[in-house]
Amino acid sequence: MSDTFTCVRCGLVVVTLAPGDARRNHCPSCLSSRHTIDHVDGGPSDCEGRMAPLSIAVQRDGSWSLVHRCTRCRELALHPTAPDDNQLILMRLAVRPLAEPPFPLDVFSTL
Amino acid sequence: MPRRRTPPGRTQRRKDVRHRTGAGSGDAFRCVGCRLGVPVVAPGTAHRNHCPSCLASRHVDGRVPGDRASPCGGRMVAVSLSTRPDGEWQLVHQCTACGVLKLNRVAGDDNALALVRLAVRPLADRGLGRRALREL
């Protein structure tokens, strides 16, 4: 089964089937998604807001997952990244906390 | 490196949920990860929900932070760090029992080593992180 969806942010028509036998829920170009599943109670959600990529979570097996946050109702969602996702945005999310540390990172050089 | 001053624009979300007062609740909680006794008052945050030592939390809230509406009660582990537009770090917690995600600001006394380990985790992975850096 292979259907398509249109990205709510950049308008790209995306095939749901990702390389590697996985299904994708976000646009590979801008990594935006759409809020269709209710992650707190389960089942479908009627929010339909745009979900912006928030951060990268590393699973136990070392694979990356993308944390999305709905721009309308602020709900969070987790979905694995696809191999053809935009590497620039992924790296930008990954290095973002280290670029703005709340404390000086120099002390860790002495550990 | 001087400590960044927080811009005056953004204030913390107001806490309008009343917690029970009396014995057994209110001013401290026991960490479900490392059994550390944690006082609720912390420097830098009014909404401490995680252990400053191991960053573990507990799934008690429903949709609104502080509403204590969830019956789950599972242990929540910190899976990721995100940054606010003003540069503050936020922890993303995932419940180990039901998989739900929560967001909470880091407190001033949170374990800096645990935070940095979480921050470098995507880059420490030798597969995806390195490959992505090379392809840029």
Side-chain angles (χ1 to χ4, degrees):
Chain A
M1 178 173 142
S2 154
D3 46 348
T4 59
F5 64 89
T6 308
C7 173
V8 286
R9 185 169 179 271
C10 67
L12 186 76
V13 178
V14 184
V15 183
T16 328
L17 209 61
D21 215 19
R23 293 185 69 79
R24 60 170 119 235
N25 73 339
H26 54 262
C27 169
S29 164
C30 68
L31 305 189
S32 289
S33 173
R34 199 164 174 195
H35 191 188
T36 50
I37 301 172
D38 193 324
H39 295 274
V40 176
D41 294 331
S45 166
D46 49 2
C47 172
E48 301 280 326
R50 178 170 67 87
M51 298 194 87
L54 185 75
S55 69
I56 298 219
V58 182
Q59 303 295 334
R60 269 164 198 269
D61 57 352
S63 63
W64 283 13
S65 284
L66 205 55
V67 181
H68 278 103
R69 182 155 74 158
C70 181
T71 50
R72 265 188 80 191
C73 66
R74 300 192 164 197
E75 199 172 291
L76 298 165
L78 193 72
H79 199 270
T81 56
D84 58 347
D85 278 348
N86 193 336
Q87 307 273 352
L88 182 64
I89 304 183
L90 283 180
M91 279 320 283
R92 216 161 64 191
L93 288 172
V95 300
R96 183 83 198 279
L98 290 174
E100 296 179 325
F103 38 77
L105 293 177
D106 310 341
V107 285
F108 291 98
S109 59
T110 57
L111 288 181
Chain B
M1 187 164 64
R3 194 180 167 84
R4 194 192 309 105
R5 203 172 295 158
T6 318
R10 164 112 191 195
T11 52
Q12 286 192 60
R13 193 187 296 190
R14 209 166 51 85
K15 202 173 199 170
D16 48 1
V17 181
R18 289 278 177 114
H19 295 306
R20 269 181 309 141
T21 49
S25 72
D27 55 348
F29 63 90
R30 178 81 59 189
C31 170
V32 288
C34 63
R35 310 305 297 162
L36 183 76
V38 183
V40 168
V41 256
T45 179
H47 306 269
R48 160 120 88 186
N49 71 346
H50 56 265
C51 170
S53 162
C54 69
L55 308 182
S57 176
R58 201 166 158 230
H59 186 194
V60 286
D61 287 346
R63 286 180 194 277
V64 184
D67 62 355
R68 301 292 184 266
S70 172
C72 174
R75 183 162 58 91
M76 300 191 84
V77 290
V79 288
S80 153
L81 265 176
S82 79
T83 318
R84 269 193 189 164
D86 59 359
E88 278 177 344
W89 279 11
Q90 285 180 309
L91 276 170
V92 182
H93 281 104
Q94 189 175 28
C95 180
T96 50
C98 66
V100 88
L101 298 164
K102 296 275 172 201
L103 211 57
N104 189 254
R105 238 169 57 127
V106 297
D109 57 350
D110 277 351
N111 188 345
L113 184 61
L115 287 177
V116 173
R117 274 175 69 174
L118 209 59
V120 299
R121 219 155 86 179
L123 305 169
D125 167 50
R126 69 177 56 243
L128 244 159
R130 303 265 169 87
R131 203 183 63 217
L133 272 180
R134 244 183 279 126
E135 278 180 14
L136 287 181

